[in-house]
């Protein structure tokens, strides 16, 4: 193959794939493999399992000797299915890069953009309405196309956790596959035809917020806050169990969370928390020692880390004291930026089309084919 043809091959491959670090939360040390006609580093071999052995990766056939590698690429003629002990098999694309990182397997899967899109939609959205599935498919694909040009991890464009978008397993049939097919290649773009920065969350509570309110970055200025209410003024996501919520927590636990986050002691009995604005962008934490400002995002994270992540579902909340308890009353679930998933479902049920839904949450962006974006010609090579 000439260098030019090879370059074209790599570019074409990169244009259709995304690399995703998978299973990292499970810290796998051994994975059963099912796939056909595989090679490890281009050598034809039968692979039944992958495991950590003496700080290196070992590929083992069903019978015979294992081979040991530093980093290796497993490439197969079929999708590769991986199974952790006691778990259901998960299906990924046809190639994986595997190495050992801090004693566990670090697996980066290469998945086609379309398979990735349907896999995330199946993992993130519980919807049956086509318009909702289609709108979310476009947003999920856009998020991936954006990460492809600006990888979110050192060794992969994306991970399979909420840090990026949740991806459990590649689906081959079902509503999410049909939605990806109906919207094939469609992404949201900015006026200059670059792939738009997009976000989605579970429920906004009646109004989304501007991305720059949480992450001050000029590149995000067109992800604006929009009302998410019907003609009668009712929040589209009002039916969601997360639209409004209440949690009660011990003041001592919150004081401990604040002490860690702000690096000063907090006196639990005198502790009070007050938002400085309607969206919970900034809060004041007050106690017998004085008052300190903290961003809503940092506060939510600090409490989530100290207790559990479900205690504070979004950063839009007020806090009342009830004896030694703090009663946290909030609205929405997630960061409330971009597409509201519950609102999307309600809009679809009320008859909105996918394009109307996308226009409502992203009024500054338009839909285009991923091949027509200005990034399509200069994508990094998939690892
Ligand atoms: Zn990530
Ligand atoms: Zn909403």
């Amino acid at each position: 193959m000439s260098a030019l043809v090879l370059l074209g091959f790599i570019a074409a491959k990169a244009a259709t794939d995304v690399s995703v670090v998978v299973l990292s939360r499970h810290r796998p040390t051994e994975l059963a493999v099912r796939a056909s006609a595989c090679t490890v580093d281009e050598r034809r071999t039968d692979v039944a399992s992958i495991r950590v052995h003496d700080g290196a990766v070992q590929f083992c056939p069903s019978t015979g000797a294992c081979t040991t590698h530093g980093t290796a690429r497993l490439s197969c003629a079929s999708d590769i299915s991986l199974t952790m002990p006691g778990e259901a098999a998960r299906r990924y694309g046809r190639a994986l890069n595997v190495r050992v990182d801090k004693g566990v397997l670090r697996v980066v899967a290469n998945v086609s953009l379309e398979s990735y899109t349907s896999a995330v939609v199946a993992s993130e959205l519980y919807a049956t309405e086509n318009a909702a599935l289609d709108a979310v498919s476009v947003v999920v694909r856009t998020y991936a196309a954006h990460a492809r040009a600006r990888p979110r991890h050192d060794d992969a464009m994306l991970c399979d956790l909420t840090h990026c978008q949740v991806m459990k397993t590649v689906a081959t049939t079902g509503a999410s596959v049909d939605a990806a097919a109906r919207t094939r290649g469609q992404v949201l773009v900015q006026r200059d035809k670059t792939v738009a920065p997009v976000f989605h969350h579970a429920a906004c509570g009646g109004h989304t917020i501007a991305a720059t309110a949480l992450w001050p970055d000029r590149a995000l200025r067109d992800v604006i806050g929009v009302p998410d209410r019907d003609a009668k003024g009712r929040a589209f996501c009002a039916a969601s169990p997360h639209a409004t919520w209440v949690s009660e927590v011990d003041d001592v636990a919150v004081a401990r969370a604040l002490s860690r986050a702000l690096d000063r002691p907090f006196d639990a009995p005198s502790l009070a928390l007050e938002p400085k604005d309607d969206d919970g962008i900034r809060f004041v934490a007050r106690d017998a020692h004085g008052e300190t400002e903290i961003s809503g995002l940092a506060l939510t994270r600090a409490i989530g880390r100290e207790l559990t992540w479900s205690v504070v579902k979004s950063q839009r909340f007020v806090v009342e004291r009830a004896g030694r308890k703090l009663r946290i009353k909030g609205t929405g679930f997630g960061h409330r930026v971009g597409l509201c998933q519950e609102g999307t479902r309600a809009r679809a049920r009320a008859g909105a089309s996918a394009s109307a839904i996308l226009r409502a949450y992203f009024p500054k962006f338009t839909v285009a084919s991923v091949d027509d974006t200005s990034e399509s010609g200069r994508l990094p090579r998939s690892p």
Side-chain angles (χ1 to χ4, degrees):
M1 214 186 281
S2 77
L4 208 65
V5 173
L6 186 64
L7 208 66
F9 172 76
I10 290 166
K13 187 164 174 39
T16 54
D17 280 3
V18 289
S19 56
V20 189
V21 51
V22 298
L23 304 173
S24 63
R25 197 178 43 175
H26 301 273
R27 305 183 54 75
T29 52
E30 179 154 14
L31 295 164
V33 178
R34 278 193 66 159
S36 58
C38 297
T39 61
V40 174
D41 287 346
E42 321 229 319
R43 289 170 79 115
R44 186 66 188 268
T45 163
D46 161 36
V47 179
S49 66
I50 310 174
R51 58 181 188 166
V52 177
H53 180 78
D54 271 350
V57 182
Q58 231 176 24
F59 288 84
C60 301
S62 39
T63 55
C66 304
T67 56
T68 307
H69 305 255
T71 298
R73 182 178 179 82
L74 173 69
S75 181
C76 304
S78 66
D79 272 358
I80 300 166
S81 114
L82 299 177
T83 314
M84 287 173 292
E87 296 259 343
R90 294 171 189 236
R91 197 182 171 110
Y92 300 109
R94 295 180 176 197
L96 305 174
N97 279 18
V98 193
R99 66 187 166 90
V100 172
D101 182 36
K102 298 187 183 84
V104 300
L105 295 169
R106 176 90 175 168
V107 183
V108 176
N110 269 20
V111 183
S112 78
L113 182 60
E114 297 303 322
S115 296
Y116 173 81
T117 299
S118 59
V120 172
V121 171
S123 308
E124 293 244 16
L125 186 76
Y126 303 93
T128 49
E129 305 79 12
N130 281 355
L133 287 158
D134 292 0
V136 174
S137 297
V138 173
V139 173
V140 165
R141 188 184 294 104
T142 305
Y143 189 96
H146 193 266
R148 207 159 60 171
R150 302 159 196 82
R152 291 176 52 81
H153 294 266
D154 287 345
D155 57 349
M157 298 159 188
L158 297 152
C159 69
D160 64 351
L161 304 175
T162 48
H163 172 261
C164 291
Q165 301 187 112
V166 176
M167 181 184 86
K168 289 179 184 150
T169 182
V170 167
T172 50
T173 56
S176 70
V177 175
D178 297 342
R182 281 193 300 270
T183 59
R184 190 176 177 82
Q186 290 178 17
V187 291
L188 288 164
V189 295
Q190 313 193 76
R191 252 163 310 178
D192 61 1
K193 293 286 177 219
T194 52
V195 176
V198 292
F199 303 87
H200 54 96
H201 59 273
C204 73
H207 205 291
T208 70
I209 56 175
T212 49
L214 295 190
W215 309 292
D217 178 348
R218 257 180 64 79
L220 303 179
R221 67 190 179 282
D222 284 340
V223 186
I224 59 174
V226 296
D228 195 24
R229 294 185 181 277
D230 64 17
K232 290 184 184 140
R234 194 176 133 86
F236 274 112
C237 50
S240 156
H242 310 300
T244 57
W245 46 266
V246 180
S247 298
E248 266 195 13
V249 290
D250 289 332
D251 58 3
V252 178
V254 178
R256 205 162 42 225
L258 282 167
S259 301
R260 273 200 198 128
L262 294 169
D263 212 22
R264 79 147 166 103
F266 273 88
D267 172 56
S270 61
L271 176 64
L273 283 164
E274 216 173 89
K276 291 193 75 183
D277 51 78
D278 286 346
D279 283 319
I281 307 303
R282 309 281 313 164
F283 278 79
V284 174
R286 198 173 287 122
D287 72 348
H289 306 299
E291 44 174 77
T292 310
E293 254 194 66
I294 182 168
S295 78
L297 213 55
L299 176 60
T300 319
R301 278 204 196 117
I303 297 174
R305 221 169 269 147
E306 182 67 34
L307 297 152
T308 66
W309 296 103
S310 56
V311 167
V312 182
K313 293 179 176 177
S314 81
Q315 73 276 13
R316 189 184 187 203
F317 57 82
V318 292
V319 182
E320 293 167 359
R321 183 169 274 282
R324 291 308 302 269
K325 297 267 182 198
L326 295 177
R327 190 173 295 139
I328 307 178
K329 296 167 134 180
T331 330
F333 191 10
H335 51 53
R336 301 174 51 235
V337 178
L339 179 139
C340 167
Q341 293 184 7
E342 291 288 349
T344 294
R345 293 181 55 195
R347 283 171 189 268
R349 278 196 299 272
S353 66
S355 51
I357 292 169
L358 292 169
R359 262 199 312 279
Y361 293 114
F362 301 104
K364 303 270 190 185
F365 303 145
T366 53
V367 174
S369 162
V370 70
D371 297 327
D372 296 337
T373 60
S374 61
E375 280 104 339
S376 62
R378 51 178 181 89
L379 294 170
R381 189 187 165 180
S382 308

